[in-house]
Amino acid sequence: MVQNTLNYLNPKTHLVKGAARKQIPALARCIDADLVVRGNTAESILNQKDCFQLAVKPLGLKTPIILDD
């Protein structure tokens, strides 16, 4: 099932050199990306994208955000 999903989605990995906040949005525009998955630099590029984003929290990260009840 997982392999069928990967084949259908056909994800690509791109490795770019330079500042993430500049290079990731530029690459996403260049390749007309549908989704960008990011980790520790996600917050710095949230407003610079023309596609969906999925931010993945690193293991052990404690968020400073506290939700009201």
Side-chain angles (χ1 to χ4, degrees):
M1 175 87 174
V2 172
Q3 190 58 45
N4 288 342
T5 302
L6 287 175
N7 289 339
Y8 175 76
L9 294 174
N10 195 23
K12 303 280 189 249
T13 300
H14 299 274
L15 188 60
V16 294
K17 186 176 183 178
R21 68 173 9 145
K22 292 182 181 180
Q23 297 302 321
I24 293 170
L27 176 64
R29 283 189 298 274
C30 180
I31 65 172
D32 196 24
D34 294 319
L35 173 69
V36 172
V37 179
R38 287 299 309 147
N40 59 348
T41 59
E43 291 179 9
S44 67
I45 63 170
L46 283 176
N47 295 325
Q48 300 181 25
K49 318 269 309 104
D50 295 327
C51 65
F52 292 105
Q53 298 176 60
L54 174 63
V56 180
K57 182 177 85 166
L59 286 175
L61 177 74
K62 302 292 184 194
T63 180
I65 299 170
I66 300 171
L67 299 176
D68 293 331
D69 290 336

